[in-house]
Amino acid sequence: MRYSALLAARAAGLRPSPIRKIAPLMRLPGMISLGGGYPNPQTFAFESVTVGFREGKSLRIDGPTLAAACQYAPTDCHPPLKPLLQRWHCAKDGVDLGDDSLLVLNGSQEGLHIAAYLLLDPGDSVVISEPAYPGALAAFRAFTDRFLPVPVDQDGTDTHELERILARIHGSGGPMPKLVYEVPNGHNPAGVSLSLERRKHLLDIAQRFDLLILEDDPYQLLQLEDRPPIPTLQSLDRSGHVLRLDSFSKIFAPGLRIGYASGPTELIRAFELYKQGTNLHTSTMAQALLAGFLELHPPEQFRALIRNNCQVYRDNRDAMLDAARQFLPSSVRYHVPREGMFVWFELPPGFDSQRMVETDGTELGVLLVPGPAFSTTGGLRNGMRASFSMATPDALREGMRRFAVMIDREAQRVRAATAG
Ligand SMILES: Cc1ncc(COP(=O)(O)O)c(C=O)c1O
């Protein structure tokens, strides 16, 4: 791919910070640096930081490690974290990331924003599932209002439909989309995962039409069936068509705001220039905490902890779906998620999810997110997203019982409207 040709006009003006450019020289042994505007570590507020991890291990950060954790850091990554992230990524996905192929983010959400900033000129279009993650829609909408929505079924994005859409545009000589946005595992909000066959098909399509895939994968390891994750698009890609976003939000702690982008060096470099001009780098302290954790928990141990935690989500999903089978009418359709934390309910045609939540949600004491929040066009009025991550199994069962009452009331309204 010619990555420079992908960049939006606004990205052409990005220049490296002259001070950040010489920062690596300041760290050379023996260098007397009068160059940086760094505050003196003697003035930092912290003496030491000790954290206990839930499964028993603890971490103490002090001395030079603490000084570094409190100090400004390189834009791409806090240096002690980089090899640990590379080890993690390789163990998890079988992909070796070079030193210039990854960049730490304030959560993958920042990656969505940066990708949109760098790539989307007004008028550019984005291929995106319908329903879609509202955070991605918000990030893209800041720069374009053009979407090519593709339906989703049990096997994820319907790549055959995508192929038909692209062939039609290509055949008519119309402008091709700039980006294919894909949440391959535990899709938010659809709850489904892209099958291996479709992953390969999507990569074929990307290669054939020379399109960049933005693989946003925060739910990869939230496995509800205790099966190994399906290989990532990045790991299957042989032609440099994937820019990937990983997140530690669902497997470590979302409040730390840590994720990372990985992929072609030219694009990662552009991410770095953008970040230099916005927040310099992700919190060094947050990166130091993650580095300490990853050092104490080699990939296999970390994976085992995540597998254990998934039991909570598995029990919750089962409680919600058992109750859904018991209480909801058969006209309500949904897929059983095998990853992630969401179930997408499709209600009968004519149902208005917004009205249901507004009219009955507070009185019945049950909350779901109405479908239009996930639509490129404000459609999906008869869709609803339910999350099973936070409530207890008992509350989830009761929630489904109340949801059934909500559905019954809406059915009466729809019947009355059609009769009238
Ligand atoms: C599909 C998807 N992408 C990105 C994010 C943002 O995650 P992070 O906390 O890493 O910014 C979320 C959060 O819910 C998500 O569901």
Side-chain angles (χ1 to χ4, degrees), residues 122-188:
D124 280 343
S125 61
V126 178
V127 172
I128 193 163
S129 60
E130 175 91 352
Y133 167 53
L137 287 174
F140 301 147
R141 276 184 180 135
F143 303 102
T144 186
D145 55 2
R146 299 215 178 159
F147 296 100
L148 292 175
V150 183
V152 169
D153 62 22
Q154 179 69 59
D155 293 324
T157 303
D158 183 345
T159 51
H160 297 283
E161 179 59 19
L162 171 62
E163 191 173 21
R164 279 189 286 275
I165 294 171
L166 293 174
R168 212 177 305 132
I169 299 174
H170 195 255
S172 68
M176 293 300 279
K178 218 29 170 334
L179 203 59
V180 179
Y181 173 69
E182 176 62 36
V183 181
N185 295 301
H187 185 282
N188 180 1

Side-chain angles (χ1 to χ4, degrees), residues 386-397:
S387 164
F388 50 83
S389 58
M390 289 283 281
T392 61
D394 281 347
L396 289 164
R397 276 187 279 273

Side-chain angles (χ1 to χ4, degrees), residues 107-109 112 133 181 183 188 216 218-219 247 249-250 257:
S108 47
Q109 187 65 38
L112 295 176
Y133 167 53
Y181 173 69
V183 181
N188 180 1
D216 180 20
Y219 304 101
S247 169
S249 288
K250 313 301 194 277
R257 310 304 303 129

Side-chain angles (χ1 to χ4, degrees), residues 51 53 55 57-60 84 87 290-298 301:
V51 290
F53 294 115
E55 80 325 319
K57 291 185 182 169
S58 67
L59 170 71
R60 185 178 162 85
L84 294 161
R87 176 176 79 167
L290 178 61
F293 178 85
L294 290 177
E295 207 156 22
L296 284 171
H297 303 85
Q301 270 185 41

Side-chain angles (χ1 to χ4, degrees), residues 15-31:
R15 299 272 178 281
S17 141
I19 296 178
R20 297 231 127 212
K21 222 165 143 181
I22 57 168
L25 305 179
M26 293 181 217
R27 285 187 282 275
L28 288 180
M31 178 66 76

